[in-house]
Amino acid sequence: MKKLTIYLLLLLSAACTSFERDPYGDAVRTLDVTVVYPEDYAQYLRAGVDVTLADRNSGNVYTAQTDNSGAAEFRVTAGHYKLSVLDLPDDEAVFNGSVELVDLSKGNLSLSVELDFSKPGTIIIKEIYSAGCPQDPPSTGSYTYDKYIILHNNSFETQYLDGLCLGTVAPYNSSAQNNPWTSTDSSGNLVFREFAAIPDCVWQFPGTGSDFPLQPGEDAVIAYHGVDHTATYSQSVNLNRKGYFVLYDLLLYPGTKNNPTPTPGDQIDEAHYMKVLKKTGKSGESGANTYVISNNSPAVIIFRAPEGFDLEAYLSTKDSEAQNGSLLYTKVPWEWIVDGAEVADNTGAVRTKRLRTDVDAGAVGFSAMAQGHTLHRRLNEDATESAGFEVYYDTNNSSNDFYERETQSLREEL
């Protein structure tokens, strides 16, 4: 009898509960978003543009679409989020925008996200292989001196590698606890300096203007050590091949006593040695005798100074340098960057953003060290069929454009 009375009371209580109010109470937040296009591109404002909200803790992703005024609304649980917008209205324009920290823990919020305009790339980064491979049994270690980067002509016109520069953007790793080159404003927007900070070295392709053409759909391989690594490690790659470029400067990067820099193999033309345009890292026992990039999370860029600009003269001045602590960095204006790809270490909680939104609005996650895995750009099959050569996705957002593949693409050519 007592149990029946309790049950009836519970039913009565439920019947008297009003569901006109939100059953989640204050745990549900409303986020009102307004998407703002650059002044010169206001004609692109329209309904139907996706706005994405990602929960920083759970990883859940929510999408809403803009109305004709660029407004979108979310109703989500209280928490911390990242907001991003990608708009690809036509073949000539890419719009990206993001707000790194959207704090919905305390109440509802209204905010604007300003979009950056960029054009799809001509020469793009196709693949980044930096994490190495396993050593052969019975050894159980890893081998990471077989790094390479592949560039690709994604356009319908011949492009020239002459004078194109290569570098990475600081901090070296996405797991850095802080980025001295960025700050966050009161609205949660990530604010970048007016330049990208390049650690240690800027490399440049040789040539005087038209010596190294890259035809539509063609690739250019940049090897860190241009030798056949498979001769010692069977799961590595052969980087001693005709046409490959190599990062080689024996004077500035002689290597260490235990790992001297190898002379490029017999198939590498000396004309394909890339040159050190500027080195800020010191050489010596405590300095950088070997050029390195992050094994698991580099932020790679290729850039070119404006036509007629004396790049070497600029790099010889103090105006081209930025200092953080005792270290010097080379300042590269964001507007010079032709393409960039940011890799984030998926094994850690911290993911420090290093590339500005108009260069790379996201980052491709990487999780498998020393397994021969690479970061590879996604093939646009429809565009490839139409063009008659390989065309890759280029939304200036590595989260969309890249994926982690299990084997180095160059091994397919063995």
Side-chain angles (χ1 to χ4, degrees):
M1 184 69 178
K2 183 175 180 181
K3 290 183 178 179
L4 178 61
T5 302
I6 293 174
Y7 178 67
L8 290 173
L9 288 172
L10 288 172
L11 287 177
L12 180 61
S13 174
C16 294
T17 300
S18 173
F19 286 98
E20 292 180 1
R21 62 188 294 274
D22 195 325
Y24 296 101
D26 294 335
V28 173
R29 305 288 190 238
T30 298
L31 173 65
D32 292 310
V33 179
T34 301
V35 174
V36 180
Y37 285 80
E39 184 176 351
D40 293 340
Y41 301 94
Q43 70 271 20
Y44 285 99
L45 177 64
R46 67 197 187 284
V49 175
D50 286 345
V51 181
T52 301
L53 191 67
D55 190 317
R56 285 183 166 273
N57 295 319
S58 69
N60 293 335
V61 177
Y62 310 93
T63 301
Q65 291 191 326
T66 59
D67 61 19
N68 287 324
S69 65
E73 182 185 87
F74 293 90
R75 284 181 58 76
V76 293
T77 56
H80 296 92
Y81 296 83
K82 177 180 177 179
L83 182 76
S84 60
V85 180
L86 168 64
D87 183 17
L88 305 171
D90 53 44
D91 293 336
E92 299 297 324
V94 177
F95 295 95
N96 276 296
S98 66
V99 178
E100 289 296 312
L101 179 59
V102 179
D103 186 355
L104 291 175
S105 63
K106 299 176 182 178
N108 301 332
L109 191 63
S110 297
L111 58 83
S112 297
V113 54
E114 296 185 358
L115 302 186
D116 292 312
F117 166 80
S118 57
K119 289 186 176 182
T122 49
I123 298 177
I124 60 172
I125 298 168
K126 173 182 170 180
E127 184 176 9
I128 300 171
Y129 172 58
S130 63
C133 65
Q135 294 186 20
D136 292 345
S139 298
T140 58
S142 60
Y143 180 68
T144 58
Y145 291 96
D146 55 348
K147 295 177 171 65
Y148 68 79
I149 292 170
I150 300 180
L151 306 183
H152 180 80
N153 182 358
N154 215 41
S155 74
F156 286 86
E157 298 179 356
T158 300
Q159 305 294 326
Y160 293 91
L161 296 168
D162 306 53
L164 188 67
C165 298
L166 170 75
T168 63
V169 176
Y172 274 102
N173 301 306
S174 67
S175 57
Q177 293 298 314
N178 68 304
N179 185 352
W181 312 107
T182 62
S183 58
T184 304
D185 66 17
S186 58
S187 299
N189 295 295
L190 198 61
V191 180
F192 287 83
R193 304 274 190 97
E194 62 275 12
F195 58 85
I198 311 300
D200 192 25
C201 177
V202 173
W203 294 91
Q204 187 181 51
F205 279 91
T208 58
S210 58
D211 295 328
F212 298 101
L214 199 63
Q215 301 300 326
E218 282 191 343
D219 293 339
V221 176
I222 305 170
Y224 281 67
H225 294 321
V227 297
D228 183 1
H229 300 272
T230 63
T232 308
Y233 304 98
S234 64
Q235 297 183 62
S236 187
V237 287
N238 178 9
L239 297 179
N240 178 26
R241 296 187 181 183
K242 288 187 181 298
Y244 283 12
F245 293 85
V246 63
L247 305 180
Y248 181 73
D249 188 309
L250 190 58
L251 179 63
L252 294 174
Y253 291 109
T256 64
K257 182 178 180 180
N258 294 329
N259 293 285
T261 298
T263 302
D266 59 348
Q267 298 300 302
I268 305 293
D269 191 329
E270 190 171 345
H272 283 226
Y273 293 2
M274 294 181 66
K275 69 174 182 177
V276 176
L277 204 58
K278 183 180 180 70
K279 181 179 181 181
T280 53
K282 296 179 180 179
S283 297
E285 292 182 1
S286 60
N289 285 328
T290 304
Y291 180 67
V292 296
I293 68 170
S294 170
N295 289 333
N296 60 4
S297 55
V300 181
I301 62 169
I302 53 174
F303 68 93
R304 191 189 300 275
E307 187 175 355
F309 185 88
D310 192 337
L311 180 58
E312 293 196 33
Y314 164 71
L315 293 177
S316 68
T317 67
K318 291 294 183 182
D319 291 340
S320 68
E321 297 176 353
Q323 189 163 355
N324 180 49
S326 61
L327 299 178
L328 286 178
Y329 300 79
T330 300
K331 294 160 57 176
V332 173
W334 294 106
E335 294 76 16
W336 292 4
I337 296 178
V338 175
D339 193 35
E342 183 160 357
V343 182
D345 177 9
N346 270 354
T347 64
V350 178
R351 296 180 67 167
T352 298
K353 193 78 179 78
R354 292 156 291 172
L355 298 184
R356 206 170 71 171
T357 301
D358 55 337
V359 175
D360 188 351
V364 54
F366 187 67
S367 58
M369 275 290 298
Q371 296 299 313
H373 288 207
T374 75
L375 289 311
H376 200 283
R377 196 176 284 266
R378 298 181 187 277
L379 184 69
N380 187 330
E381 295 182 0
D382 292 338
T384 294
E385 183 177 358
S386 175
F389 58 85
E390 289 184 335
V391 177
Y392 291 87
Y393 283 103
D394 182 23
T395 69
N396 290 333
N397 188 325
S398 292
S399 303
N400 304 321
D401 295 343
F402 281 79
Y403 69 101
E404 181 177 340
R405 58 171 285 164
E406 294 185 354
T407 309
Q408 313 98 319
S409 70
L410 296 184
R411 284 186 61 80
E412 297 174 354
E413 302 175 13
L414 295 176

